[in-house]
Amino acid sequence: MLFLLILFCWGPAVLTSGQVWPLYGTPRKTVTLSSYGGHVFQEEGVWNYTTMLLREDMGVLILGARGAIFALDLNNITHKKAMVKWEVTPTMRTSCSFKGKDFETECQNYIQILHKMPDGRMYVCGTNAFNPTCDYMSYTHGKLILENNRHEGRGRCPFDPFTRSASELVDGELYSATSMNFLGSIPVMMRSLNSSIKTEYTMSWLWDPTFIGIKHVAEGEENPEGDDHKIYFFFSEAAIEFDSYNKMDVSRVARVCKGDLGGQRTLQKKWTTFQKARLDCSLPENKLPFLIQDVFLFCPGNWNTCVFYGVFTPQGDTSQYSTVCAYRIQDIRDVFSKGKFKTMVSVDYDIKWVTYYGDVPDPRPGACINNDARQKGYFKSLDLPDKTLLFIKDKPLMDQAVESSPQQPLLVKKGAAFTSIVVASTTALDGSLHQVMFIGTASGSVLKAVSYNGEMVIIEEVQLFAHSEPVKILRLSGTAAQLYAGSEVAAVQMPLSACDHYTSCMDCVLARDPYCGWDLTTDSCVAINSIHPDTHSDVVQSLRDGNATRCPAVESRKIIQSFHPGKMVSLQCAPGSNLAQVQWHVNGHPVENSDVHRLRHNSLLILNASVSDARHYSCSSVETSKGRDYITQTVTYELRLVDTMTAPSVQPLVLC
Ligand SMILES: *[C@@H]1O[C@H](CO)[C@@H](O)[C@H](O)[C@H]1NC(C)=O
Ligand SMILES: *[C@@H]1O[C@H](CO)[C@@H](O)[C@H](O)[C@H]1NC(C)=O
Ligand SMILES: *[C@@H]1O[C@H](CO)[C@@H](O)[C@H](O)[C@H]1NC(C)=O
Ligand SMILES: *[C@@H]1O[C@H](CO)[C@@H](O)[C@H](O)[C@H]1NC(C)=O
Ligand SMILES: *[C@@H]1O[C@H](CO)[C@@H](O)[C@H](O)[C@H]1NC(C)=O
């Protein structure tokens, strides 16, 4: 019996023995979804839970999957409130596979678009066996109802479920970025539903793009220049501006004005305000630009405080670094409204894109109709002069790239491929505001990270999906204080914080989690927003300093363990966090790796225990924070030789 137990302990110990624990980019804690108080939703036989719409007004999360749409309780997504099926008909499926598409995977209806309409209904589109189709849907009296008002979704929803697309519904107009045709060869960014406007189909506008996101910024509100609202598109595409032998991709931000109606003669029914710029978020040592994978619009107040957070991964490169950058709306605006343009020139039968130094027409190409334009008699894009329109038609690319703020990536992590990001804002104990990033990864986890004066702290990593299913979509509900994530196999929900999983004062304070603090009166880690203002002084939180000196010293736990001579003994002592290190002492002297002792990540092995090992072994978990060492826990083992003559059978000993 004892031997079996030891074997059981030995197994995991061997697995972790070769690991190094780099402190850079390491989450302080690694937690499971269930210990974080999360919920899982999965419907038998349904896959691809990758489209979400939060309906906080109705208390539901609308979840789009393959052949089905669900309404789930926002507070507990395991609770399915309604479901509606939308599957392909057998004839459509056959005809799709007849056109050369895979019957099992491609010839199905993947829900790709879910948006709220101004009247409260929803707009839904699916790939529908390579025949994109849209419909209206409502959720009333606990039922999801598709109105059966089906119509062509070409240009709104992709044909191919494996390509990425983006969409956003603003004031009854659908903005979409996808491919227009069956072959997937005609990319488009368009507005539809009421008045339809598209991109020009030319390489200088879009060249083999991968669409990532569309965001609306209400810049027209309280704008002193009488400027318009803007729609921002994020994507990556083949670069026209670099001379390179191989095709190289770059990340882009493009923008159009909401009031754009197209031109009168030039650019009829096309955007007259389409401008794009390169977006950088690379590491100096990487030669190829990083590519954007997801974008989140964070607007703490007025539109001019808005910040776009993007996650990036390297292209054609195995170094496996991921980055996060933030871009201020003002910096993007400056590039578009004040920056230089690029222009195409022919050099020795070759085409090059260079800085344009010539005259820029007035009104400025790409600018929205503002007070200045109105004063000159231009009240809508249809009034704009040909020279302004021809200019933007030929030169949509800005010379300068948009720089992130700060200039360096906010976060760099090795060995993780970031897929998605949302950013929440929270007030700490001292009243300071903090932006908390939740970053989805290709291995199915979410990283929770905060920057304190430029120092990035990864508070924890929560494993959301079993089998390392990539996180495909992340959504944040501020009112429910919950995060929702979707993958191909399940959807999950987790709270933005789970303070009670911090077990001691040191653990709670060294976590530097802005949502949590240690309450000295109740001896528990509590949510900051739950504490009464009068008891603030009894709560410890130290976000910038990671200073846990107010925490009481930890009490040592004592364990008596018996052993058989000649056998191996395993003493358990897991470090309190990924950043902590374990130190062992025997009768007060440090234990080192030797023929007798093996130090493992979370245990000490005494290989061939003998009578002389009947001593006191103590283990401390030490965590360094801001140059100061904190002992976060101690365990003392008193080893006793088993008296085989008197106590042979009972072994309450090994504490695995
Ligand atoms: C849908 O999910 C299945 C099961 O995980 C997966 O094999 C398939 O690739 C997914 N389809 C798409 C379009 O991602
Ligand atoms: C969540 O919903 C499921 C299904 O309705 C239910 O079984 C479960 O008890 C709920 N969990 C909580 C914590 O309310
Ligand atoms: C729809 O488009 C027309 C012009 O095509 C415009 O006059 C009208 O205001 C638009 N309606 C909405 C709701 O945007
Ligand atoms: C840590 O906190 C203690 C108690 O609040 C304070 O006395 C000490 O100066 C702080 N140390 C640092 C380095 O900030
Ligand atoms: C274990 O120790 C005993 C006595 O100290 C010795 O006789 C024995 O050979 C050792 N066994 C191994 C496998 O080293």
Side-chain angles (χ1 to χ4, degrees):
M1 181 59 184
L2 179 64
F3 186 63
L4 274 179
L5 274 172
I6 286 174
L7 266 185
F8 182 75
C9 301
W10 171 262
V14 170
L15 281 179
T16 52
S17 67
Q19 269 178 28
V20 266
W21 298 89
L23 302 186
Y24 181 58
T26 301
R28 181 174 176 274
K29 288 243 176 185
T30 310
V31 222
T32 60
L33 181 69
S34 57
S35 72
Y36 216 79
H39 296 288
V40 182
F41 174 77
Q42 222 168 357
E43 175 89 0
E44 180 89 45
V46 178
W47 304 97
N48 316 101
Y49 303 90
T50 52
T51 309
M52 286 179 176
L53 170 66
L54 280 176
R55 289 299 302 260
E56 285 165 336
D57 54 337
M58 294 170 151
V60 288
L61 172 73
I62 307 292
L63 176 65
R66 189 169 86 182
I69 304 151
F70 303 91
L72 310 173
D73 187 338
L74 262 190
N75 296 312
N76 174 6
I77 65 165
T78 310
H79 179 204
K80 180 174 78 180
K81 296 182 108 172
M83 168 187 183
V84 62
K85 287 205 168 190
W86 183 4
E87 291 171 314
V88 284
T89 61
T91 45
M92 293 213 52
R93 215 168 157 196
T94 314
S95 118
C96 166
S97 94
F98 200 68
K99 289 182 210 154
K101 298 298 171 188
D102 186 71
F103 186 80
E104 285 305 322
T105 60
E106 292 169 306
C107 298
Q108 303 240 27
N109 190 25
Y110 293 84
I111 304 302
Q112 300 263 326
I113 289 183
L114 276 173
H115 293 295
K116 183 184 171 189
M117 301 282 295
D119 63 6
R121 289 182 305 160
M122 286 165 273
Y123 194 67
V124 193
C125 306
T127 58
N128 202 26
F130 263 76
N131 182 23
T133 307
C134 301
D135 200 350
Y136 294 88
M137 181 176 74
S138 57
Y139 177 67
T140 38
H141 307 300
K143 278 206 172 96
L144 274 177
I145 301 157
L146 282 165
E147 292 184 2
N148 242 330
N149 178 4
R150 294 195 185 163
H151 50 279
E152 158 103 65
R154 180 186 293 257
R156 296 175 190 167
C157 176
F159 285 69
D160 183 349
F162 289 96
T163 63
R164 288 196 64 172
S165 63
S167 61
E168 184 66 288
L169 207 140
V170 183
D171 294 340
E173 294 273 25
L174 183 76
Y175 295 83
S176 56
T178 185
S179 181
M180 284 284 278
N181 61 337
F182 184 88
L183 292 176
S185 54
I186 306 177
V188 69
M189 288 178 178
M190 69 176 212
R191 182 176 73 205
S192 58
L193 287 188
N194 182 33
S195 56
S196 169
I197 299 281
K198 286 196 190 87
T199 38
E200 183 85 349
Y201 178 45
T202 156
M203 232 164 73
S204 58
W205 282 44
L206 290 172
W207 185 15
D208 205 359
T210 299
F211 298 113
I212 300 301
I214 301 180
K215 303 289 166 192
H216 167 236
V217 179
E219 287 176 40
E221 276 163 22
E222 305 158 35
N223 191 305
E225 288 130 46
D227 204 341
D228 195 3
H229 298 295
K230 311 279 190 315
I231 311 293
Y232 288 87
F233 296 82
F234 293 83
F235 57 107
S236 60
E237 65 167 349
I240 46 170
E241 69 266 44
F242 292 116
D243 301 314
S244 87
Y245 184 72
N246 293 314
K247 197 175 120 196
M248 183 172 97
D249 286 345
V250 287
S251 304
R252 299 270 197 226
V253 53
R255 92 172 185 193
V256 295
C257 305
K258 190 158 164 271
D260 198 339
L261 298 170
Q264 191 66 259
R265 288 175 301 273
T266 308
L267 292 175
Q268 261 182 35
K269 297 263 169 198
K270 300 284 166 63
W271 298 111
T272 62
T273 51
F274 181 83
Q275 286 178 287
K276 63 178 182 179
R278 205 173 83 234
L279 208 53
D280 274 340
C281 186
S282 300
L283 295 173
E285 58 266 32
N286 277 72
K287 282 184 220 83
L288 293 173
F290 278 41
L291 301 182
I292 188 162
Q293 301 301 329
D294 193 25
V295 64
F296 183 80
L297 172 59
F298 180 77
C299 290
N302 186 284
W303 66 267
N304 54 33
T305 61
C306 291
V307 175
F308 294 101
Y309 285 82
V311 289
F312 294 75
T313 57
Q315 60 180 309
D317 174 296
T318 52
S319 71
Q320 279 276 313
Y321 279 99
S322 290
T323 52
V324 179
C325 282
Y327 304 89
R328 293 187 308 187
I329 193 96
Q330 290 292 1
D331 293 340
I332 300 183
R333 258 177 81 88
D334 284 353
V335 168
F336 287 132
S337 57
K338 296 184 191 146
K340 290 197 161 49
F341 294 85
K342 274 202 192 299
T343 190
M344 194 175 76
V345 292
S346 303
V347 184
D348 305 332
Y349 305 102
D350 200 9
I351 285 167
K352 278 192 195 310
W353 284 81
V354 297
T355 314
Y356 175 78
Y357 289 107
D359 290 339
V360 174
D362 185 51
R364 185 180 157 97
C368 303
I369 301 293
N370 57 12
N371 291 343
D372 186 46
R374 279 185 277 266
Q375 224 161 44
K376 290 169 184 154
Y378 308 109
F379 294 96
K380 48 190 186 301
S381 65
L382 292 161
D383 304 335
L384 288 171
D386 265 347
K387 60 179 188 348
T388 292
L389 299 182
L390 285 170
F391 187 99
I392 205 66
K393 184 175 175 221
D394 293 339
K395 304 175 186 52
L397 178 63
M398 303 313 292
D399 187 46
Q400 206 190 328
V402 176
E403 274 189 10
S404 63
S405 170
Q407 223 172 338
Q408 296 303 313
L410 278 178
L411 174 65
V412 178
K413 178 143 169 59
K414 197 177 179 179
F418 293 167
T419 59
S420 41
I421 185 167
V422 296
V423 179
S425 175
T426 189
T427 309
L429 188 66
D430 63 2
S432 57
L433 270 176
H434 298 274
Q435 278 91 59
V436 186
M437 305 192 286
F438 294 89
I439 303 161
T441 71
S443 55
S445 65
V446 149
L447 301 172
K448 177 175 172 182
V450 191
S451 167
Y452 297 118
N453 301 336
E455 180 202 2
M456 186 53 70
V457 175
I458 304 181
I459 298 167
E460 54 212 347
E461 175 164 25
V462 185
Q463 189 62 40
L464 302 179
F465 300 109
H467 313 299
S468 300
E469 275 297 321
V471 175
K472 288 290 171 78
I473 183 168
L474 268 188
R475 288 286 181 267
L476 172 78
S477 166
T479 51
Q482 297 281 325
L483 195 68
Y484 305 90
S487 75
E488 305 296 357
V489 299
V492 301
Q493 156 193 20
M494 66 170 243
L496 302 184
S497 67
C499 301
D500 54 7
H501 80 287
Y502 297 117
T503 51
S504 66
C505 180
M506 296 266 187
D507 194 24
C508 178
V509 176
L510 295 180
R512 300 166 75 182
D513 186 329
Y515 292 97
C516 305
W518 185 263
D519 188 334
L520 293 166
T521 52
T522 61
D523 257 356
S524 58
C525 195
V526 294
I528 296 297
N529 64 9
S530 74
I531 56 180
H532 194 269
D534 293 348
T535 61
H536 265 199
S537 56
D538 299 329
V539 177
V540 188
Q541 188 185 52
S542 176
L543 302 179
R544 289 192 178 82
D545 302 329
N547 180 350
T549 46
R550 272 185 78 195
C551 284
V554 292
E555 278 173 32
S556 172
R557 266 194 308 145
K558 195 162 182 173
I559 296 170
I560 297 173
Q561 184 159 332
S562 310
F563 70 98
H564 287 274
K567 295 272 166 62
M568 189 185 71
V569 179
S570 164
L571 305 177
Q572 297 299 299
C573 182
S577 85
N578 295 333
L579 305 184
Q581 247 142 26
V582 158
Q583 290 169 359
W584 283 95
H585 286 88
V586 56
N587 283 11
H589 300 287
V591 178
E592 275 157 25
N593 263 321
S594 67
D595 293 347
V596 184
H597 295 125
R598 286 278 187 279
L599 291 166
R600 302 296 185 207
H601 172 58
N602 51 14
S603 65
L604 169 70
L605 303 179
I606 305 168
L607 296 181
N608 181 7
S610 66
V611 184
S612 61
D613 289 313
R615 292 187 286 180
H616 286 87
Y617 282 83
S618 75
C619 143
S620 311
S621 177
V622 180
E623 188 163 339
T624 309
S625 173
K626 292 282 181 177
R628 201 192 148 106
D629 285 348
Y630 294 95
I631 296 175
T632 54
Q633 58 170 335
T634 58
V635 184
T636 304
Y637 287 94
E638 186 183 333
L639 281 194
R640 288 185 184 166
L641 192 65
V642 170
D643 186 349
T644 43
M645 308 304 280
T646 57
S649 55
V650 192
Q651 307 286 356
L653 322 165
V654 182
L655 297 133
C656 287

